[in-house]
Amino acid sequence: MCSVSFLPNSDGFDLAMNRDEQISRIAALPPAYFRHEKVIALYPSEPGNCTWIGVNEAGMTFGLINWHSQPQCDGREKVSRGKVIPALLAAENSGEAEKRLMDLPLNRMNPFRLILVALPEQCLQEWRWNRSNLEKTILPWTRHHWFSSGLDEIEANRVRRQTCERAAMQSMPGSAAWLRDLHRSHYPKKGPFSICMHRPDAHTVSYAEISTSRSRSAVAMTYHDGPPCTQGPFVTNLLNLRINAVFQMV
């Protein structure tokens, strides 16, 4: 259960993600810096160095959501989907990321949808693994939203997309602040299908926001531990982008 939003701008892009989990799940660690081969990456993590969102100094950003509407593994010899993004964060371009994704033990992983944003190439991709096939879709460099729900994925997609379009009509999408307000939303009511999700057994456990700046050659990850509708600090970590990763953009 998660919600992801991508919003391009004149200086790069903003990406926001609500992570929805069972209340009983162990709390994640806040974003930290990691080295993956020759590349420095920034991401929050769970035990075993697993994550659901991350960015590296080459301008590669990844977000992963579960795909509950597809058949799930029976649990035997299962590999966590949280291993996917750390394996890809050593990649310096989308082609390398694709090769690394193909090398993973996907047949031992539950279905997922992976969002890949390559800033140097100005490339937005979605990868879908359904335990049988891995499919890639190249998307236009425009606003996009993705949703998952372990309760009712079809209804969650319907309600949350309606929320996004309603927000776009009320004010022009154009900033990380717009995304943050969207991901705090309880429209049409606070509950299992609002973007900021609340159920007796599960809720939005954290909010992560990645903002890239071509002019500053930097990326910022802002993180809030807890539902974004609650008070508490939004902590920002900065990561310098490699110069060649910035000026290849068109």
Side-chain angles (χ1 to χ4, degrees):
M1 300 169 286
C2 292
S3 296
V4 182
S5 299
F6 168 79
L7 185 63
N9 57 55
S10 60
D11 202 28
F13 67 86
D14 298 297
L15 184 139
M17 184 170 186
N18 280 12
R19 185 183 183 222
D20 305 340
E21 290 290 353
Q22 294 289 322
I23 292 174
S24 60
R25 191 177 180 111
I26 187 170
L29 297 173
Y33 300 96
F34 300 86
R35 177 176 289 276
H36 290 269
E37 298 180 14
K38 299 179 181 179
V39 182
I40 303 299
L42 174 63
Y43 55 90
S45 63
E46 287 191 310
N49 194 31
C50 294
T51 193
W52 58 98
I53 189 170
V55 62
N56 70 19
E57 62 181 344
M60 301 291 293
T61 295
F62 302 93
L64 185 145
I65 60 176
N66 298 342
W67 198 4
H68 295 282
S69 60
Q70 299 299 307
Q72 306 293 300
C73 295
D74 60 11
R76 291 177 295 179
E77 298 184 3
K78 188 168 66 174
V79 174
S80 172
R81 290 165 288 198
K83 295 289 188 181
V84 173
I85 291 178
L88 303 186
L89 282 168
E92 300 188 50
N93 55 64
S94 61
E96 185 182 350
E98 180 173 343
K99 292 178 182 177
R100 290 176 180 272
L101 181 60
M102 299 283 191
D103 288 340
L104 293 175
L106 298 176
N107 62 326
R108 294 167 57 195
M109 292 185 182
N110 272 323
F112 62 79
R113 297 166 68 187
L114 175 72
I115 296 97
L116 182 161
V117 191
L119 179 64
E121 306 159 59
Q122 198 164 319
C123 175
L124 177 64
Q125 299 178 4
E126 179 184 355
W127 289 87
R128 294 187 176 196
W129 167 247
N130 65 3
R131 291 187 58 213
S132 299
N133 298 297
L134 181 65
E135 296 183 354
K136 175 177 72 171
T137 302
I138 299 176
L139 300 170
W141 192 257
T142 56
R143 177 170 60 93
H144 284 277
H145 306 275
W146 299 264
F147 311 104
S148 69
S149 171
L151 179 65
D152 186 337
E153 209 151 60
I154 293 175
E155 183 65 6
N157 270 271
R158 186 190 71 81
V159 173
R160 292 175 189 175
R161 289 194 183 281
Q162 186 180 68
T163 301
C164 294
E165 296 314 309
R166 177 178 178 269
M169 291 178 63
Q170 290 181 332
S171 61
M172 183 64 68
S175 68
W178 184 87
L179 281 182
R180 196 174 296 183
D181 286 342
L182 176 67
H183 279 249
R184 288 188 179 114
S185 172
H186 292 145
Y187 180 85
K189 63 180 180 179
K190 184 178 181 179
F193 302 123
S194 53
I195 292 180
C196 186
M197 191 274 287
H198 298 267
R199 293 190 344 227
D201 61 331
H203 65 166
T204 298
V205 298
S206 67
Y207 170 81
E209 178 184 291
I210 294 173
S211 297
T212 63
S213 173
R214 178 174 43 172
S215 61
R216 295 190 180 98
S217 300
V219 58
M221 175 177 280
T222 299
Y223 187 77
H224 177 72
D225 186 13
C229 64
T230 60
Q231 293 185 348
F234 284 73
V235 180
T236 299
N237 293 77
L238 298 177
L239 180 66
N240 290 329
L241 292 171
R242 294 178 180 175
I243 297 298
N244 63 342
V246 176
F247 290 96
Q248 287 177 17
M249 282 196 65
V250 295

